[in-house]
Amino acid sequence: MNAFNSRQEVPEKEKWNLNDIYPSLEEWEQDYDKIEKLTEELHKFDGKIDDGNDLYDYLHKEEIVESLFGKVFVFAKLSGDIDTRETLAQSLTEKASQLGVKISAATSFFTPFLLGLDKSTLESFLREDSRLDYFKDDLYDAFRYKEHVLSKEKEELLSQLGETLSSPSRTFGMINNADIKFGEVTDEDGNKKELTRGMYSKLMEDEDRSKREEAYKAYYVPYVQLKNSIASTLSSAIKNNVTLSKVRSYPSALEKSLFGKKIPKEVYMNLIQTTKDNLKSMYQYTELRKETLGVEELKQYDLGVPLVTGVKEDIPYEEAYETMLDALAPLGKDYIEVLKEMKNARYIDVRETPGKRSGAFNLGLYGIHPFILLNHQDDINSLFTLAHEMGHAMHSHYSNKHQPQITAGYTIFVAEVASTVNEVLLINYLLKNAKSEEYRKYLLNHFMDQFKGTFFTQVMFAEFEMKTHERAENGESLNAEAFSELYEKLFQEYNGDALVMQEESKYGWARIPHFYRPFYVYQYATGFAAAISIANKILSGDEEVLENYLAFLKSGSSDYPIELLKKTGVDLTSPEPIKDALSLFAELVDEFSKL
């Protein structure tokens, strides 16, 4: 494994080239000044849009500002991600963020203005200027919110309350990121030291069970201690969401969350019900864990340790890239050629270096190209991360190439499809080419664990969110006891009787930041299921599905996400894609137990 002490040591070809956005800081500054001037011009439209021509001028100018701001912000962000300690990059990001606030303030009048129009007035504007055809779908989509918008005075009041309403989320963020002190664990020399999050994820994979137990108990110490405070922030966040839904005349908080992307409620209900009707394979998986690990009682700290050991192998970056290209060959020649070009043209920042932002992401910049951040570690996880992020990058590439700016971005609901299709094709390729039975078992274990985390756990979270919001809507109390009782019940239900619950297990709700972004996590599971359905059909040689999938990658947000997926043959309003995904999991468990 390559360990780099500084960015200078990393080969040039493994660093992204930010000159593709701005060859110099002077050019960044020029665009920054240009946006400031244009933002002032946007502000002057407030109260001055009287006809179709005015409306077009405003929207056209706003799109130019958005495009330029995208470049300015992304350049600043990516410069900072290279080394988070670098003060110049930090000041650029700060400046860009302040500019974003100015743009928001200058354009904040527009939505209330638009929704204050009669439909007939909007239609007359559209007739007056044919150039508005480009913006038509977006205008009508915004107009859907009309029945959920309040009077101007009430809207202003709500906007002033914005900071107060987001307070529970910010408070939890401060508790969870700044204030929490985990318990202590024993290091190699027998000394006690405070547990960190980074240490925790590593220790959960440790073969020494006593180390896992010690880390698990230390990790939950602050969450148990602070259960009442955290319950108060979560309860407030849920109640705020429920109150806003009522104030805006939505039937429920869930339907308010689904409204924006026109996701039918049955998609959410289907996901939960179909999963709960097919939990048998999940129970077999926990039984299998218990059996393979040879423990009398399976505990929560036994759920992350690999079931197959001693077969890890180094996969250098060059080899990982070639393996990925071979695995994704079923997606066609053009897909592979673009992936090769992305590597050669330095769209990817590969190596972990001091101060570099952790994790991995893809950022698709319209009119330029995608930028992919990795912290490649030459192992199997890094190979999967590479395939995952390049799936996002290809989605960005195709959508940006084939869509105008207004519909080039894709929604979270479909975002995980492109990345997971790549992972399913990769695991299929690796299993087909496994050098030994033991390595095949190792791969099956890797995929089963990923399946559990991305699908089953997220569905369980989705049900927890639904039930807690329903309780708030019915005026029932939401406190630490209520959250713990519900969480414990669901945790047992989704994992089966082979798992023996511990006192700490029921406080799992206290550590999940996603619960402050209501009804978000279910999209990981729906995206995962849709991707499995598509990948399996592509692997079976279904040319029509392949063609439709590539068309989907090119479609950005040109239609609502459910409709885009239907064009690939996946209908998430029916239980079928969920059943297909669950039957694949059953096959994985079955094969692993036979091996």
Side-chain angles (χ1 to χ4, degrees):
M1 189 191 292
N2 291 320
F4 295 95
N5 296 315
S6 73
R7 191 164 174 82
Q8 284 67 41
E9 293 177 17
V10 179
E12 207 65 13
K13 64 179 181 177
E14 292 186 355
K15 295 189 275 198
W16 57 33
N17 183 13
L18 298 186
N19 288 347
D20 290 352
I21 313 176
Y22 290 111
S24 69
L25 200 50
E26 288 73 41
E27 287 171 74
W28 185 89
E29 295 281 4
Q30 282 164 15
D31 269 0
Y32 187 96
D33 295 340
K34 197 186 289 182
I35 297 167
E36 282 204 305
K37 287 192 185 80
L38 284 167
T39 302
E40 282 169 30
E41 289 173 30
L42 284 177
H43 204 49
K44 290 173 187 166
F45 279 92
D46 189 358
K48 300 278 172 56
I49 299 176
D50 300 317
D51 56 25
N53 190 34
D54 293 341
L55 181 58
Y56 174 78
D57 286 347
Y58 170 79
L59 291 170
H60 177 60
K61 202 158 276 187
E62 188 195 27
E63 188 174 68
I64 292 169
V65 168
E66 265 180 38
S67 177
L68 286 173
F69 180 68
K71 286 175 67 181
V72 161
F73 183 78
V74 168
F75 181 83
K77 178 185 161 36
L78 298 184
S79 302
D81 288 341
I82 288 166
D83 189 345
T84 53
R85 305 164 302 180
E86 225 273 305
T87 50
L88 173 64
Q90 278 174 12
S91 68
L92 291 184
T93 309
E94 185 100 348
K95 270 185 84 172
S97 298
Q98 286 164 1
L99 187 57
V101 171
K102 283 183 193 171
I103 296 167
S104 279
T107 56
S108 64
F109 77 91
F110 183 72
T111 302
F113 156 76
L114 179 67
L115 297 177
L117 296 175
D118 296 322
K119 198 168 185 188
S120 57
T121 309
L122 177 62
E123 284 167 349
S124 74
F125 283 1
L126 290 164
R127 284 195 299 273
E128 283 167 18
D129 197 324
S130 60
R131 294 174 301 170
L132 282 168
D133 282 352
Y134 175 78
F135 298 103
K136 189 168 148 182
D137 287 346
D138 262 27
L139 289 167
Y140 277 132
D141 193 47
F143 218 70
R144 287 196 305 124
Y145 287 87
K146 193 171 172 68
E147 63 187 287
H148 302 295
V149 170
L150 310 171
S151 67
K152 193 167 187 259
E153 294 74 22
K154 286 179 181 170
E155 284 295 339
E156 279 173 9
L157 182 63
L158 272 185
S159 70
Q160 285 166 20
L161 287 171
E163 202 171 328
T164 309
L165 292 170
S166 62
S167 171
S169 172
R170 286 201 315 279
T171 304
F172 174 74
M174 293 308 289
I175 292 171
N176 204 34
N177 298 316
D179 297 343
I180 266 189
K181 291 273 180 282
F182 296 109
E184 292 185 326
V185 290
T186 315
D187 67 12
E188 288 76 24
D189 305 321
N191 302 315
K192 290 283 184 188
K193 59 192 293 187
E194 191 191 321
L195 181 72
T196 65
R197 279 203 173 85
M199 284 162 63
Y200 178 69
S201 47
K202 283 195 176 72
L203 285 166
M204 281 297 100
E205 294 182 7
D206 201 294
E207 286 176 46
D208 185 336
R209 195 177 189 219
S210 62
K211 279 188 179 175
R212 296 202 303 273
E213 182 178 10
E214 185 186 39
Y216 178 78
K217 288 188 176 300
Y219 181 73
Y220 272 92
V221 163
Y223 294 112
V224 177
Q225 281 174 349
L226 297 167
K227 62 181 185 289
N228 294 314
S229 303
I230 297 175
S232 174
T233 62
L234 183 55
S235 173
S236 299
I238 293 166
K239 285 173 184 171
N240 285 352
N241 195 33
V242 166
T243 303
L244 276 177
S245 308
K246 283 179 184 164
V247 166
R248 293 201 176 280
S249 308
Y250 287 96
S252 67
L254 173 58
E255 282 152 292
K256 174 180 170 279
S257 294
L258 302 176
F259 182 83
K261 298 295 173 246
K262 261 196 175 171
I263 309 291
K265 190 180 174 183
E266 63 251 42
V267 169
Y268 202 94
M269 310 310 283
N270 235 331
L271 172 69
I272 293 170
Q273 197 52 55
T274 310
T275 304
K276 289 183 83 162
D277 291 344
N278 294 275
L279 283 170
K280 190 180 160 200
S281 56
M282 188 61 203
Y283 299 163
Q284 286 171 329
Y285 166 82
T286 45
E287 287 284 358
L288 192 59
R289 265 203 165 270
K290 182 182 172 184
E291 203 178 298
T292 311
L293 293 172
V295 292
E296 264 185 57
E297 289 185 337
L298 187 75
K299 302 285 182 74
Q300 196 176 346
Y301 51 77
D302 297 320
L303 297 179
V305 62
L307 298 177
V308 181
T309 55
V311 289
K312 278 189 180 179
E313 55 176 49
D314 270 3
I315 309 169
Y317 176 66
E318 293 293 332
E319 187 189 321
Y321 215 92
E322 286 306 313
T323 302
M324 176 185 71
L325 294 177
D326 290 343
L328 302 183
L331 295 175
K333 196 163 178 251
D334 181 68
Y335 194 99
I336 299 303
E337 289 307 312
V338 176
L339 279 176
K340 286 178 183 172
E341 173 59 18
M342 284 182 175
K343 179 169 177 277
N344 297 334
R346 294 175 51 201
Y347 293 5
I348 311 167
D349 207 83
V350 181
R351 299 293 171 185
E352 183 177 28
T353 49
K356 184 177 170 180
R357 179 187 153 142
S358 62
F361 65 71
N362 158 69
L363 220 163
L365 184 56
Y366 192 80
I368 312 286
H369 59 70
F371 289 86
I372 302 97
L373 178 132
L374 302 172
N375 281 279
H376 198 84
Q377 299 296 334
D378 294 354
D379 59 16
I380 187 89
N381 287 331
S382 290
L383 169 58
F384 273 92
T385 300
L386 173 67
H388 182 101
E389 295 306 333
M390 297 317 288
H392 287 311
M394 290 300 290
H395 198 174
S396 297
H397 164 81
Y398 278 132
S399 282
N400 289 351
K401 187 179 174 187
H402 294 273
Q403 293 294 323
Q405 185 181 331
I406 199 165
T407 52
Y410 46 84
T411 68
I412 292 293
F413 192 86
V414 296
E416 292 306 316
V417 175
S419 51
T420 309
V421 163
N422 281 12
E423 290 195 62
V424 177
L425 295 177
L426 175 61
I427 191 76
N428 180 76
Y429 174 83
L430 293 173
L431 285 168
K432 210 183 258 182
N433 294 282
K435 304 179 198 79
S436 67
E437 200 172 270
E438 205 59 15
Y439 193 61
R440 188 175 174 83
K441 269 175 74 175
Y442 174 73
L443 292 167
L444 286 167
N445 177 202
H446 177 90
F447 197 52
M448 284 190 300
D449 286 350
Q450 188 209 1
F451 204 122
K452 180 183 183 292
T454 312
F455 188 84
F456 288 103
T457 302
Q458 306 309 324
V459 178
M460 183 188 82
F461 287 168
E463 187 172 1
F464 179 83
E465 285 190 282
M466 183 180 77
K467 291 213 152 124
T468 50
H469 277 78
E470 281 171 358
R471 287 184 183 189
E473 281 159 351
N474 296 331
E476 296 171 40
S477 71
L478 286 177
N479 50 31
E481 197 181 332
F483 287 135
S484 299
E485 185 193 313
L486 176 61
Y487 193 87
E488 185 174 34
K489 181 173 172 286
L490 290 174
F491 198 84
Q492 193 76 68
E493 213 175 317
Y494 278 80
N495 287 284
D497 294 336
L499 183 73
V500 175
M501 297 291 285
Q502 295 146 274
E503 182 58 25
E504 292 89 351
S505 307
K506 66 184 180 191
Y507 297 109
W509 57 269
R511 61 182 184 84
I512 312 295
H514 273 117
F515 287 159
Y516 296 83
R517 195 173 180 182
F519 305 112
Y520 179 87
V521 294
Y522 83 98
Q523 297 170 112
Y524 291 122
T526 50
F528 193 73
I532 284 169
S533 181
I534 291 164
N536 284 341
K537 285 172 187 163
I538 291 170
L539 287 167
S540 73
D542 191 325
E543 288 294 324
E544 191 186 347
V545 168
L546 174 60
E547 203 176 307
N548 290 338
Y549 174 63
L550 293 172
F552 160 80
L553 293 181
K554 295 168 186 173
S555 55
S557 57
S558 57
D559 203 342
Y560 291 108
I562 285 287
E563 301 309 315
L564 290 175
L565 283 172
K566 278 182 185 171
K567 290 169 191 171
T568 69
V570 175
D571 182 2
L572 283 165
T573 61
S574 85
E576 295 318 309
I578 312 300
K579 282 182 180 170
D580 289 349
L582 291 164
S583 64
L584 172 65
F585 184 74
E587 284 168 31
L588 295 170
V589 173
D590 196 42
E591 187 182 345
F592 189 91
S593 58
K594 280 176 185 162
L595 283 172

